[in-house]
Amino acid sequence: MTTGEASLMKNGPASRARREERADGPATVLAIGTANPPNVFDQETYPDFYFDVTNNTDKPELKAKFQRMCNRSGIKKRYMCFTEETLRANPSMGVYWEHSLDVRQDIVAEQVPKLAKEASLKAIKEWGQP
């Protein structure tokens, strides 16, 4: 690398743009806001709900295994964007090996901005500025 190339890398347009993007001084976190999806399921009763809504009540061995997994996970509550109506309207979400990614992505694309707005408003309120 020549001296001119080194100077261009150090003082070139990209380098200037990076310097302009950055603030002088330390960064500060003013507040942190959090938000959870509106639907809450207790972990202890979740297997009953899940197997009922997915019409898999005829699989008691699988349900018992899922119940043990839920009991041992250390999780107390599940927060979800999905409702019972959503799961019943989209049976592919509860069937193993079914293609449900598009359905899930559509739901997430609608719900995530709502959660982001809620978290942002909480952060602004905690910060105390308009």
Side-chain angles (χ1 to χ4, degrees), residues 26-39:
T28 304
V29 174
L30 301 172
I32 296 175
T34 60
N36 292 321
N39 304 313

Side-chain angles (χ1 to χ4, degrees), residues 51-123:
F51 276 75
D52 178 49
V53 80
T54 59
N55 297 320
N56 284 307
T57 54
D58 60 330
K59 300 177 182 175
E61 302 86 20
L62 186 59
K63 182 178 174 183
K65 184 175 182 177
F66 189 50
Q67 183 72 55
R68 283 192 308 275
M69 289 170 47
C70 288
N71 292 343
R72 294 177 183 168
S73 69
I75 298 169
K76 300 293 180 208
K77 295 180 183 177
R78 288 180 180 259
Y79 294 88
M80 292 189 215
C81 294
F82 309 128
T83 62
E84 184 172 347
E85 293 80 30
T86 306
L87 292 169
R88 289 196 190 279
N90 300 288
S92 65
M93 292 177 62
V95 178
Y96 192 63
W97 287 110
E98 278 292 320
H99 301 285
S100 63
L101 182 61
D102 291 340
V103 174
R104 293 171 190 270
Q105 287 293 95
D106 291 343
I107 294 168
V108 168
E110 180 183 326
Q111 294 296 319
V112 167
K114 292 177 186 177
L115 292 172
K117 178 182 176 184
E118 183 181 337
S120 299
L121 292 173
K122 285 181 181 179

Side-chain angles (χ1 to χ4, degrees), residues 41-52:
F41 297 95
D42 287 328
Q43 186 77 343
E44 291 178 8
T45 60
Y46 182 68
D48 294 328
F49 164 78
Y50 183 80
F51 276 75
D52 178 49

